[in-house]
């Protein structure tokens, strides 16, 4: 079953991936970082640029350290499957892509942390009501009805560490495991779309804090039931619970810090998982099931943990899916034009 998938990954192992082939990705990251610095600096202030910009890069390296320690056995297996030869032939491209990921995360940290300084959160009532109208009940009720907090917490690593591998290192993984340049570029574009288009542009158009912070922002007890279930289940002792408390504390204090920033709509978690799912499905039909299964799990956990309304994830899947289809169509049309006979004569009438 997975033999074909591994064969796909090993295909083209002796082909180099030159650094200049990913230069556009590094240029985009640099331009994004510069644009974010100018925009945030001019509208919010230099303080809002320096701390999160530095924090984004530092946070990235600390996270990579933790990820490498946590998934070291997986990396050993991947190294055996891929082989040292491919890594040697692609070292320059790998370094350039890794640098671009660090720079992009610094820019994203600046932008996300500054969004509520540019415009107050306003869209939560709309998204909460839309969730209720679509499902007949708040989706978190369904989620916690399926699995209790005791079992649910065992899935949290899929939403944190495992997701972080895709979220921060997906372009690096692409360069290591894929020899199809057109596909690598297509999915790098999707990756950038998940972070920049959805995480910044669309997020600014639908600023919201999500169910976990709804009552703290607006008052009342709209999501008191969710908070009670999470607290009774001991979420405060988990990484997710501690992160949620830190995010609200920083927001309420008007402080900028490493990795700070609240933004529920759309879900970047689900967007990144969507990119990963479409990639795995495109590489091998045997990888489609685990890929989309993981996407479903991330969507479920985004609601289960209170971070997101269900519609946050639906929107991310729709946008990434539409972009993937458009890029595939464009690639097919371009390939058809390239394969058509040059200078073919029009048929005689």
């Amino acid at each position: 079953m997975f033999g074909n998938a591994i064969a796909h990954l090993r295909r083209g192992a002796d082909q180099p991936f030159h650094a200049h082939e990913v230069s556009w990705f590094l240029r985009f990251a640099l331009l994004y970082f510069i644009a974010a610095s100018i925009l945030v600096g001019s509208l919010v202030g230099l303080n809002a640029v320096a701390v999160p910009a530095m924090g984004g890069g530092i946070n990235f390296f600390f996270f990579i350290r933790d990820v490498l320690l946590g998934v070291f056995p997986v990396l050993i297996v991947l190294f055996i499957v891929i082989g040292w030869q491919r890594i040697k032939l692609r070292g320059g491209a790998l370094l350039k892509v890794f640098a671009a990921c660090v720079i992009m995360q610094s820019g994203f940290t600046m932008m996300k942390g500054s969004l509520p300084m540019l415009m107050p959160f306003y869209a939560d009532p709309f998204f909460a009501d839309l969730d209720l109208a679509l499902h007949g009940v708040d989706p978190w009720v369904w989620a916690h009805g399926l699995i209790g907090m005791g079992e649910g917490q065992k899935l949290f690593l899929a939403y944190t560490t495992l997701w972080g591998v895709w979220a921060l290192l997906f372009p690096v993984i692409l360069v290591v495991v894929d020899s199809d340049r057109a596909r690598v570029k297509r999915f790098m574009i999707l990756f950038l779309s998940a972070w920049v288009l959805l995480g910044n542009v669309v997020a600014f158009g639908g600023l919201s804090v999500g169910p976990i912070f709804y009552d703290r922002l607006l008052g009342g007890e709209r999501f008191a039931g969710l908070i009670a279930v999470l607290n009774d289940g001991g979420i405060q002792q988990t990484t997710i619970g501690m992160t949620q408390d830190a995010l609200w504390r920083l927001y309420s204090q008007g402080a900028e810090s490493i990795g700070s920033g609240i933004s529920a709509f759309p879900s970047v978690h689900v967007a990144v998982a969507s990119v990963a799912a479409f990639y795995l499905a495109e590489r091998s039909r045997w990888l489609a099931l685990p890929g989309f299964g993981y996407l479903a799990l991330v969507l479920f956990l985004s609601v289960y943990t209170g971070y997101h309304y269900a519609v946050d994830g639906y929107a991310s899947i729709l946008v990434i899916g539409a972009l993937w289809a458009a890029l595939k169509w464009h690639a097919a049309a371009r390939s058809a034009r390239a394969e058509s006979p040059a200078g073919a004569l029009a048929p005689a009438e």
Side-chain angles (χ1 to χ4, degrees):
M1 176 178 175
F2 290 102
N4 290 334
I6 292 174
H8 275 290
L9 294 178
R10 291 184 63 87
R11 188 175 298 164
D14 57 344
Q15 298 176 9
F17 207 123
H18 299 294
H20 69 82
E21 296 179 271
V22 292
S23 292
W24 70 272
F25 187 71
L26 179 57
R27 285 196 299 270
F28 179 92
L30 286 168
L31 289 173
Y32 172 61
F33 177 81
I34 293 169
S37 300
I38 294 173
L39 179 63
V40 174
S42 60
L43 296 178
V44 179
L46 293 178
N47 230 15
V49 173
V51 174
M54 185 186 305
I58 294 173
N59 201 34
F60 184 92
F61 282 112
F62 278 125
F63 184 85
I64 294 303
R65 179 202 62 187
D66 294 339
V67 165
L68 291 178
L69 290 174
V71 301
F72 188 71
V74 178
L75 294 176
I76 293 296
V77 173
L78 185 62
F79 180 82
I80 293 171
V81 171
I82 299 301
W84 172 244
Q85 178 68 11
R86 176 177 292 195
I87 301 211
K88 273 200 314 183
L89 290 171
R90 302 180 179 204
L94 287 171
L95 289 174
K96 189 171 282 190
V97 168
F98 183 80
C101 288
V102 176
I103 295 168
M104 194 198 75
Q105 285 300 320
S106 295
F108 181 81
T109 298
M110 271 191 290
M111 288 297 296
K112 183 178 180 181
S114 301
L115 289 180
M117 300 180 188
L118 300 173
M119 180 185 293
F121 293 112
Y122 69 92
D124 283 276
F126 171 77
F127 291 129
D129 291 344
L130 180 59
D131 247 11
L132 184 60
L134 288 175
H135 303 94
V137 65
D138 288 329
W140 72 264
V141 177
W142 284 357
H144 283 270
L146 288 173
I147 182 171
M149 277 292 289
E151 295 299 316
Q153 288 185 33
K154 297 176 183 178
L155 303 174
F156 283 5
L157 278 179
Y159 199 74
T160 54
T161 302
L162 182 56
W163 178 82
V165 175
W166 292 106
L168 303 182
L169 291 177
F170 181 62
V172 176
I173 294 171
L174 281 176
V175 172
V176 172
V177 305
D178 208 332
S179 296
D180 186 328
R181 271 57 171 176
R183 182 167 55 218
V184 168
K185 184 171 185 178
R186 186 163 67 249
F187 277 93
M188 282 185 174
I189 292 172
L190 281 177
F191 177 81
L192 293 172
S193 299
W195 284 102
V196 180
L197 176 62
L198 288 171
N200 287 162
V201 179
V202 179
F204 187 67
L207 276 179
S208 52
V209 296
I212 193 66
F213 301 126
Y214 187 102
D215 293 346
R216 299 190 217 186
L217 178 73
L218 299 173
E221 298 182 343
R222 176 73 172 78
F223 287 98
L226 170 64
I227 304 303
V229 169
L230 292 174
N231 289 341
D232 290 345
I235 197 171
Q236 300 100 324
Q237 283 72 52
T238 69
T239 300
I240 286 179
M242 289 185 283
T243 301
Q244 290 173 344
D245 286 342
L247 286 174
W248 184 258
R249 184 174 63 254
L250 290 167
Y251 167 71
S252 61
Q253 293 172 353
E256 288 282 353
S257 183
I258 295 174
S260 66
I262 296 174
S263 178
F265 180 88
S267 170
V268 173
H269 262 79
V270 174
V272 169
S274 298
V275 175
F278 281 111
Y279 178 74
L280 292 173
E282 195 169 315
R283 287 306 305 265
S284 169
R285 60 186 176 133
W286 300 112
L287 295 175
L289 182 59
F292 282 102
Y294 177 68
L295 169 58
L297 177 59
V298 171
L299 175 61
F300 173 81
L301 288 173
S302 73
V303 174
Y304 189 88
T305 58
Y307 268 121
H308 290 284
Y309 307 104
V311 292
D312 298 344
Y314 300 161
S316 295
I317 294 171
L318 286 173
V319 171
I320 294 297
L323 288 173
W324 174 79
L327 289 170
K328 282 281 288 182
W329 176 86
H330 177 74
R334 187 173 182 179
S335 177
R337 286 196 302 270
E339 292 174 3
S340 63
L345 297 175
E349 296 188 7

